Amino acid sequence: MNKSEWIALGALVVSLFSAFLSALSYLVSRSAHNISKQQHKERYKGIVLYLVDAFKWSSEEDFYISFALRFTNEATISNSLQNIELHLEYYDRNKHCGKAKISPSLEVKPINLAEASEMLKIPLEMNSKSAKSGWISFKLPNLFYKDLEIDLYKIVATTTDGRIIAVETHIVNIV
């Protein structure tokens, strides 16, 4: 082999080594990119809402509905709830349907349960990977309790990042 063949062989070895290093670098960067995408997904997961229990009750002339709720922040960053509402779907005696929104009565504690569990406060701040549970009550106008039949109870919460989470039920116990 002459000198030019040795130079060509050396260039071939260097180019193959360079191709091997670039393929290895690609695999490492792709793995790092996949890890980064997974961390990003976990960072911005939302809050999950669970309905634990619900019941209607009365106090003197007022009628209330109370919900035991559990909020779970599945994200790796903190988040909070800025608003909670009760959305009702109802019908009257003539079977006309309607919808209503009711704000929570945060100062009202559910009857016989005030000492057993925590009351939820709005805004509800949640740390990363944490859960909070407690009761929230809504005062029902007398019209709903006497003249209208409520078909669907839907708790709707809005997070600070604008996401809306909801849970609904058709069945509520009466105490």
Side-chain angles (χ1 to χ4, degrees):
M1 285 177 61
N2 62 22
K3 188 175 186 178
S4 65
E5 290 174 344
W6 282 107
I7 292 173
L9 183 62
L12 175 66
V13 168
V14 168
S15 66
L16 288 176
F17 182 70
S18 175
F20 172 75
L21 286 180
S22 65
L24 186 63
S25 174
Y26 169 75
L27 292 175
V28 169
S29 67
R30 191 173 83 185
S31 174
H33 177 69
N34 289 340
I35 291 170
S36 176
K37 279 182 11 183
Q38 182 64 27
Q39 286 176 342
H40 180 75
K41 283 181 184 177
E42 287 184 15
R43 181 176 178 92
Y44 294 103
K45 283 184 176 179
I47 295 176
V48 178
L49 172 59
Y50 299 98
L51 176 65
V52 178
D53 199 4
F55 64 91
K56 292 181 195 177
W57 55 280
S58 64
S59 172
E60 299 168 9
E61 294 287 321
D62 296 325
F63 299 99
Y64 295 93
I65 184 165
S66 296
F67 295 93
L69 302 172
R70 180 173 173 233
F71 294 94
T72 304
N73 184 8
E74 294 183 337
T76 57
I77 60 173
S78 61
N79 200 348
S80 62
L81 299 172
Q82 65 182 23
N83 188 25
I84 296 178
E85 294 178 326
L86 174 62
H87 293 200
L88 301 173
E89 292 182 15
Y90 62 88
Y91 56 92
D92 61 11
R93 292 182 180 147
N94 296 326
K95 302 298 179 193
H96 292 115
C97 295
K99 294 183 179 185
K101 293 180 186 178
I102 300 175
S103 296
S105 301
L106 297 174
E107 68 282 351
V108 176
K109 296 181 179 179
I111 194 166
N112 297 331
L113 293 172
E115 304 301 323
S117 183
E118 177 182 334
M119 298 297 298
L120 293 174
K121 305 280 187 224
I122 303 300
L124 180 65
E125 296 185 18
M126 300 187 67
N127 295 327
S128 64
K129 299 284 186 179
S130 67
K132 289 192 179 180
S133 60
W135 288 91
I136 190 160
S137 297
F138 299 88
K139 181 180 176 187
L140 292 174
N142 291 342
L143 178 68
F144 280 100
Y145 202 79
K146 294 178 181 175
D147 298 330
L148 301 174
E149 185 69 34
I150 300 173
D151 182 44
L152 179 67
Y153 303 87
K154 185 175 184 179
I155 300 290
V156 178
T158 307
T159 63
T160 53
D161 60 357
R163 294 182 188 182
I164 295 176
I165 54 175
V167 65
E168 55 189 45
T169 184
H170 291 278
I171 301 171
V172 174
N173 299 324
I174 298 175
V175 176

